[in-house]
Each structure stands twice: as C-alpha cells, then as structure tokens.
Amino acid sequence: MSMLTPPGMGGQYRITGDKYPRMRPRRRRARLTLSVVATVTALGLVGWGTLQLIDVFTGGGGTASAAGSAGDCVKEAAASPSPAAGASAAALPKPAQITVNVYNATTRTGLAKDTADALKKRGFKIGDVGNAPARFDSKVKGTAVLLGPASALKTSLPVLATQLTAADQRTEAGRKGTAVDLIIGDAFKALTPQTTAAKAITALSHPEPKAASKKSC
C-alpha cells in the first residue's frame, strides 16, 4: 500500500497529483460565517425597529424637537410705529409756539443777542436776552444748557435742541409758564445749519417706523 493511500481504503484508491481533496471543515466555516452575518443583520433590524417605536411614542423624536426649539427660530424684522414716539410727535409745538430766553454764560460779549436774532429768523419767539444767572455764569463748559418746566421735556426742549449740537436738556421742578431758557456754554460756536435743523424737526414730527423683531419657527 502506497504511503499516499489514505488508511482504510485497502489500496483500491490512490491519490495522484499535488492537490489533496477538500474536506468538510471548509463548509463548516462557511456556515459559521453565514450565521454571524444573519445574527448581525437581525440585531440591526431589531435596533432600528426599537428606534422607530421610540419616535412614535415620544411624538416625533429629537428631530421634531430640534426643529421647534427657540434656537432655530428665525427672526424677522417687521416695521411697526412706536406708540410713544407717535404721541410725542402729535404734541410737538412749532418754533413759533416756543418762547426762548437766551442767556450768555461765556465771557464773549454779544453772543446772546446774536444767537437770539438767529433763532428769531428761524421762527422762534424770543423772550429775555442777557447774561446767564450766577449759578450758570462761566460754569457751562459744553455747547449749551436748555432749561424749562417739566412739561417741556418732550415738547419744547426737543424742538429747540434741533438748533444746537449736543445741548444738555434739563427741567426745573415747580417752574411756571411754558418759556424755555437757552444758556450758551463755552463750547458753543454757532447754531446747527438751518437745513440740518429743519430735517431734524421733520424727523421729530414724523418719526420713522421702528423695526420690531419677530420670531418664526
């Protein structure tokens, strides 16, 4: 019996060539691979089905919550008039309805008279003209101080302020009458250019609509 003859074959069969017949362990390995793939696929399907059930019972899942969250809302600017601005504009007096007392708190002579004449040409009524009271004399370092009764804070003072740059607006408690004071300070050079002042008065009388932010999800 040849050494290449498998035991138990009694020499009836011989194995020739340089290749041996493939035995069953190859099939067992293939079956094991198929079993593993089938198991992984089944687990994946079960997991996916579980997620779908969670989405159904939680009302749409994380995606729906993210879409409706405040962080994802889009802000839209909508023009809307400001009620406060509209009320103030309706109550604004015209320059001809405002009486202005012009006082000079600087050391420059004739400044009060020149300023009063310029305001008169622009339609304002002129009251007293002269040197500033002692409490303001040489103490106004800015452009000017506009002083009036409490009722002038949103009426006469804003209109007069259009004629001067960076004027300080103030009110006096218990002050009578409707006249307002223009107290000229050291930084004053000239009134605001008339065309610029006219545009400022128009803007006060007809304020532009204020943009209000709206959220839409």
Side-chain angles (χ1 to χ4, degrees):
M1 182 174 63
S2 171
M3 293 181 66
L4 298 175
T5 303
M9 290 187 179
Q12 297 180 3
Y13 302 95
R14 294 177 181 275
I15 299 175
T16 60
D18 56 354
K19 295 183 179 180
Y20 292 92
R22 295 179 179 177
M23 301 301 178
R24 289 189 177 182
R26 189 67 172 266
R27 292 184 179 178
R28 291 178 182 175
R29 195 175 299 170
R31 289 179 181 176
L32 179 61
T33 302
L34 291 175
S35 299
V36 172
V37 172
T39 302
V40 172
T41 303
L43 290 175
L45 291 174
V46 170
W48 181 82
T50 302
L51 290 176
Q52 295 300 314
L53 288 175
I54 291 174
D55 287 346
V56 170
F57 287 106
T58 57
T63 303
S65 297
S69 64
D72 292 338
C73 293
V74 179
K75 290 185 177 181
E76 297 178 354
S80 60
S82 172
S88 298
L92 287 176
K94 296 180 180 180
Q97 298 173 308
I98 302 174
T99 299
V100 183
N101 302 317
V102 184
Y103 300 115
N104 184 9
T106 74
T107 57
R108 291 175 283 174
T109 60
L111 195 56
K113 183 179 182 305
D114 293 343
T115 304
D117 291 342
L119 287 174
K120 186 175 181 180
K121 291 179 181 179
R122 297 186 182 191
F124 290 88
K125 287 184 178 181
I126 302 300
D128 295 336
V129 178
N131 293 326
R135 61 191 176 115
F136 290 108
D137 190 24
S138 300
K139 298 177 183 178
V140 180
K141 303 303 179 184
T143 301
V145 171
L146 306 183
L147 190 63
S151 60
L153 182 60
K154 295 183 179 181
T155 55
S156 301
L157 290 180
V159 176
L160 181 58
T162 61
Q163 311 300 311
L164 298 103
T165 303
D168 184 14
Q169 301 180 47
R170 303 179 189 177
T171 60
E172 283 184 307
R175 177 165 172 164
K176 305 296 183 180
T178 59
V180 293
D181 299 341
L182 166 56
I183 305 170
I184 302 171
D186 293 336
F188 177 84
K189 293 182 179 180
L191 295 177
T192 302
Q194 191 166 358
T195 54
T196 303
K199 290 180 180 178
I201 291 178
T202 301
L204 284 175
S205 302
H206 305 283
E208 294 182 359
K210 185 178 179 181
S213 296
K214 291 183 177 181
K215 290 184 178 181
S216 61
C217 299

